[in-house]
Amino acid sequence: MKILTVLGARPQFIKAGSISREIAMHNNLHEVIIHTGQHYDTNMSDIFFEEMQIPKPDYFLGIGGKSHGAMTGQMIEKIEEVAEKENPNWILVYGDTNSTLAGAIVASKLHIKVAHIEAGLRSYNMKMPEEVNRILTDRVSDILFCPTSIAVENLKKEGFPFATSNGRQIVTNVGDVMQDGAMFYKQFAKKPLLANKEKLEAKGYILCTIHRAENTNNLERLKNIFEVLSEIAKEKQIILPLHPRTKKLLPSTLKLHPNLTIIDPVGYLEMVWLISNADLVMTDSGGLQKEAFFFHKPCLTLRDETEWMELVNIGANILVGADKEKIFNAYKLAFKNKIDFNVNLYGDGKASQNIISTLIRENN
Ligand code: UD1
Ligand code: UDP
């Protein structure tokens, strides 16, 4: 059985780590990987393939740093060429990026079965490019691999399952592949060089990331976030591995407290170390919200909504948006909340196995 995997952005490389490992255990499965090139810096792409031992992509399309339309359109054209040549049994797409949508559209038009990993998530904010990508991808997918029970409920509310070019959709909760990954790779967690210099373990610190369009494309929100981070940094060090997009858009006039330590993006193994040793996570990342929970850390989410409502429901995650006062107050309270991190929200760490065995079973 041949699986054509479409990858393009950092969170997808991280999710692919566990799935590729699982595929490699089956002699009769052959994975062909397309890298769209959506992310291209070494520490946004190559590093993950190397350290997670994901097979080198068979095709590299080099389509990155463009507008949404140009990026998605060019990806569709090139992925179609590869899909026609390879004629796979499945096209596998992950998450909610432009690369995800492009892969799903190609599969659907060529009547190749498409499986969507991380299906059913919703923020209900149609201004987010990710929300548009996930809704359209879900609609044409043959198998919707949901990570949570809320995701399954979201799909039911929208009237899923629907018909596709190949028959009727399968909607199934298999658990979260990011949990599989976090549990497996934590044994390889790598202390970043910076940690020695800054004596991070001893001091206790907050880990922060900011890159989502709703924050970076809105100068007011971006300024508010960095100003309040600078306030918090007076009391507690903040480590911020900065996405290149945010770095480009951050006004150089902002005066930031020196305790707000901005570093380049790090590899996943260093990230796992940084999360494991942090006191608190502040982020607008989807993946990091869950990883905070996997490593038993409270999380403040710098957005107005989240796809991971189960974390909000148990008090592990607080939505703070980009409002300075709300962020500062939540930071003050974050260490006082009692959170049950042992509740099972994301499955039993076997999402990858569940996905691969379903693909084998449904390949008729
Ligand atoms: C994309 C995803 C987002 C995901 C994020 C993970 C979409 C719509 N959004 O957003 O859901 O959370 O990836 O990182 O697909 N850039 C570089 N080097 C890189 C990659 C990006 O400099 O390796 C810069 C470029 O200026 C680029 C900008 O970041 O134009 C935005 O990159 P893009 O892939 O369009 O979106 P992300 O913000 O990364
Ligand atoms: N990540 C990383 N290095 C970084 C920042 C993030 O390895 O410098 C990892 C993070 O641990 C998570 C994934 O990237 O596994 C999330 O990707 P990102 O925040 O870019 O995207 P999102 O999840 O918001 O789509």
mmCIF file of all heavy atoms in Angstrom, residues 68-86:
data_model
loop_
_atom_site.group_PDB
_atom_site.id
_atom_site.type_symbol
_atom_site.label_atom_id
_atom_site.label_comp_id
_atom_site.label_asym_id
_atom_site.label_seq_id
_atom_site.Cartn_x
_atom_site.Cartn_y
_atom_site.Cartn_z
ATOM 1 N N HIS A 68 -1.256 33.673 0.438
ATOM 2 C CA HIS A 68 -2.035 32.432 0.595
ATOM 3 C C HIS A 68 -2.467 31.858 -0.743
ATOM 4 O O HIS A 68 -2.359 30.663 -0.988
ATOM 5 C CB HIS A 68 -3.279 32.690 1.452
ATOM 6 C CG HIS A 68 -2.950 32.890 2.893
ATOM 7 N ND1 HIS A 68 -2.978 31.886 3.810
ATOM 8 C CD2 HIS A 68 -2.568 33.993 3.560
ATOM 9 C CE1 HIS A 68 -2.629 32.353 4.997
ATOM 10 N NE2 HIS A 68 -2.371 33.639 4.863
ATOM 11 N N GLY A 69 -2.963 32.733 -1.627
ATOM 12 C CA GLY A 69 -3.467 32.267 -2.924
ATOM 13 C C GLY A 69 -2.346 31.676 -3.764
ATOM 14 O O GLY A 69 -2.477 30.567 -4.303
ATOM 15 N N ALA A 70 -1.240 32.408 -3.859
ATOM 16 C CA ALA A 70 -0.114 31.948 -4.687
ATOM 17 C C ALA A 70 0.424 30.629 -4.128
ATOM 18 O O ALA A 70 0.680 29.668 -4.864
ATOM 19 C CB ALA A 70 0.976 33.009 -4.705
ATOM 20 N N MET A 71 0.564 30.602 -2.800
ATOM 21 C CA MET A 71 1.130 29.404 -2.162
ATOM 22 C C MET A 71 0.227 28.189 -2.406
ATOM 23 O O MET A 71 0.654 27.157 -2.913
ATOM 24 C CB MET A 71 1.250 29.670 -0.647
ATOM 25 C CG MET A 71 2.235 28.793 0.067
ATOM 26 S SD MET A 71 2.130 28.924 1.849
ATOM 27 C CE MET A 71 2.741 30.509 2.218
ATOM 28 N N THR A 72 -1.059 28.352 -2.074
ATOM 29 C CA THR A 72 -1.977 27.211 -2.169
ATOM 30 C C THR A 72 -2.137 26.777 -3.630
ATOM 31 O O THR A 72 -2.117 25.582 -3.941
ATOM 32 C CB THR A 72 -3.353 27.567 -1.553
ATOM 33 O OG1 THR A 72 -3.122 28.233 -0.307
ATOM 34 C CG2 THR A 72 -4.195 26.344 -1.308
ATOM 35 N N GLY A 73 -2.261 27.757 -4.530
ATOM 36 C CA GLY A 73 -2.450 27.442 -5.946
ATOM 37 C C GLY A 73 -1.260 26.683 -6.513
ATOM 38 O O GLY A 73 -1.423 25.644 -7.173
ATOM 39 N N GLN A 74 -0.058 27.191 -6.228
ATOM 40 C CA GLN A 74 1.139 26.516 -6.770
ATOM 41 C C GLN A 74 1.321 25.131 -6.165
ATOM 42 O O GLN A 74 1.759 24.199 -6.832
ATOM 43 C CB GLN A 74 2.377 27.378 -6.521
ATOM 44 C CG GLN A 74 2.376 28.624 -7.397
ATOM 45 C CD GLN A 74 3.550 29.560 -7.092
ATOM 46 O OE1 GLN A 74 4.583 29.141 -6.614
ATOM 47 N NE2 GLN A 74 3.357 30.833 -7.380
ATOM 48 N N MET A 75 0.948 25.007 -4.904
ATOM 49 C CA MET A 75 1.047 23.674 -4.277
ATOM 50 C C MET A 75 0.087 22.696 -4.953
ATOM 51 O O MET A 75 0.440 21.549 -5.219
ATOM 52 C CB MET A 75 0.710 23.757 -2.785
ATOM 53 C CG MET A 75 1.792 24.365 -1.926
ATOM 54 S SD MET A 75 1.155 24.483 -0.236
ATOM 55 C CE MET A 75 2.405 25.486 0.518
ATOM 56 N N ILE A 76 -1.123 23.147 -5.213
ATOM 57 C CA ILE A 76 -2.115 22.256 -5.844
ATOM 58 C C ILE A 76 -1.555 21.737 -7.178
ATOM 59 O O ILE A 76 -1.590 20.534 -7.465
ATOM 60 C CB ILE A 76 -3.462 22.989 -6.065
ATOM 61 C CG1 ILE A 76 -4.139 23.253 -4.714
ATOM 62 C CG2 ILE A 76 -4.391 22.193 -6.977
ATOM 63 C CD1 ILE A 76 -5.396 24.112 -4.791
ATOM 64 N N GLU A 77 -1.011 22.656 -7.961
ATOM 65 C CA GLU A 77 -0.499 22.276 -9.278
ATOM 66 C C GLU A 77 0.614 21.218 -9.155
ATOM 67 O O GLU A 77 0.610 20.205 -9.845
ATOM 68 C CB GLU A 77 0.034 23.537 -9.965
ATOM 69 C CG GLU A 77 0.355 23.327 -11.416
ATOM 70 C CD GLU A 77 0.819 24.633 -12.072
ATOM 71 O OE1 GLU A 77 0.734 25.699 -11.442
ATOM 72 O OE2 GLU A 77 1.291 24.545 -13.207
ATOM 73 N N LYS A 78 1.542 21.466 -8.240
ATOM 74 C CA LYS A 78 2.707 20.564 -8.134
ATOM 75 C C LYS A 78 2.353 19.243 -7.442
ATOM 76 O O LYS A 78 2.848 18.184 -7.818
ATOM 77 C CB LYS A 78 3.839 21.248 -7.339
ATOM 78 C CG LYS A 78 4.413 22.462 -8.015
ATOM 79 C CD LYS A 78 5.288 22.055 -9.183
ATOM 80 C CE LYS A 78 5.735 23.269 -9.962
ATOM 81 N NZ LYS A 78 6.069 23.008 -11.352
ATOM 82 N N ILE A 79 1.496 19.309 -6.423
ATOM 83 C CA ILE A 79 1.121 18.061 -5.732
ATOM 84 C C ILE A 79 0.348 17.163 -6.701
ATOM 85 O O ILE A 79 0.500 15.943 -6.714
ATOM 86 C CB ILE A 79 0.299 18.338 -4.446
ATOM 87 C CG1 ILE A 79 1.133 19.120 -3.423
ATOM 88 C CG2 ILE A 79 -0.192 17.039 -3.815
ATOM 89 C CD1 ILE A 79 0.336 19.646 -2.228
ATOM 90 N N GLU A 80 -0.461 17.800 -7.548
ATOM 91 C CA GLU A 80 -1.223 17.019 -8.539
ATOM 92 C C GLU A 80 -0.280 16.226 -9.448
ATOM 93 O O GLU A 80 -0.506 15.037 -9.722
ATOM 94 C CB GLU A 80 -2.107 17.949 -9.369
ATOM 95 C CG GLU A 80 -3.014 17.208 -10.337
ATOM 96 C CD GLU A 80 -3.866 18.165 -11.142
ATOM 97 O OE1 GLU A 80 -3.306 18.956 -11.936
ATOM 98 O OE2 GLU A 80 -5.100 18.139 -10.986
ATOM 99 N N GLU A 81 0.790 16.883 -9.902
ATOM 100 C CA GLU A 81 1.754 16.186 -10.780
ATOM 101 C C GLU A 81 2.341 14.964 -10.074
ATOM 102 O O GLU A 81 2.427 13.881 -10.654
ATOM 103 C CB GLU A 81 2.915 17.130 -11.159
ATOM 104 C CG GLU A 81 2.563 18.125 -12.231
ATOM 105 C CD GLU A 81 3.662 19.196 -12.398
ATOM 106 O OE1 GLU A 81 4.826 18.940 -12.025
ATOM 107 O OE2 GLU A 81 3.322 20.291 -12.890
ATOM 108 N N VAL A 82 2.711 15.157 -8.821
ATOM 109 C CA VAL A 82 3.310 14.043 -8.072
ATOM 110 C C VAL A 82 2.274 12.939 -7.853
ATOM 111 O O VAL A 82 2.561 11.751 -8.028
ATOM 112 C CB VAL A 82 3.858 14.530 -6.706
ATOM 113 C CG1 VAL A 82 4.382 13.363 -5.884
ATOM 114 C CG2 VAL A 82 4.940 15.580 -6.901
ATOM 115 N N ALA A 83 1.055 13.327 -7.489
ATOM 116 C CA ALA A 83 0.019 12.326 -7.195
ATOM 117 C C ALA A 83 -0.294 11.501 -8.441
ATOM 118 O O ALA A 83 -0.490 10.282 -8.362
ATOM 119 C CB ALA A 83 -1.236 13.019 -6.675
ATOM 120 N N GLU A 84 -0.315 12.149 -9.595
ATOM 121 C CA GLU A 84 -0.604 11.405 -10.836
ATOM 122 C C GLU A 84 0.519 10.421 -11.138
ATOM 123 O O GLU A 84 0.284 9.307 -11.574
ATOM 124 C CB GLU A 84 -0.806 12.382 -12.001
ATOM 125 C CG GLU A 84 -2.213 12.974 -11.941
ATOM 126 C CD GLU A 84 -2.552 13.888 -13.106
ATOM 127 O OE1 GLU A 84 -1.659 14.654 -13.512
ATOM 128 O OE2 GLU A 84 -3.710 13.815 -13.572
ATOM 129 N N LYS A 85 1.734 10.855 -10.874
ATOM 130 C CA LYS A 85 2.884 9.988 -11.146
ATOM 131 C C LYS A 85 2.939 8.818 -10.147
ATOM 132 O O LYS A 85 3.161 7.678 -10.529
ATOM 133 C CB LYS A 85 4.157 10.838 -11.025
ATOM 134 C CG LYS A 85 5.417 10.100 -11.347
ATOM 135 C CD LYS A 85 6.599 11.055 -11.459
ATOM 136 C CE LYS A 85 7.876 10.298 -11.157
ATOM 137 N NZ LYS A 85 8.814 11.031 -10.365
ATOM 138 N N GLU A 86 2.697 9.098 -8.888
ATOM 139 C CA GLU A 86 2.866 8.082 -7.843
ATOM 140 C C GLU A 86 1.647 7.176 -7.688
ATOM 141 O O GLU A 86 1.751 6.056 -7.200
ATOM 142 C CB GLU A 86 3.179 8.747 -6.484
ATOM 143 C CG GLU A 86 4.523 9.464 -6.420
ATOM 144 C CD GLU A 86 5.700 8.491 -6.379
ATOM 145 O OE1 GLU A 86 5.492 7.292 -6.110
ATOM 146 O OE2 GLU A 86 6.829 8.945 -6.637
#
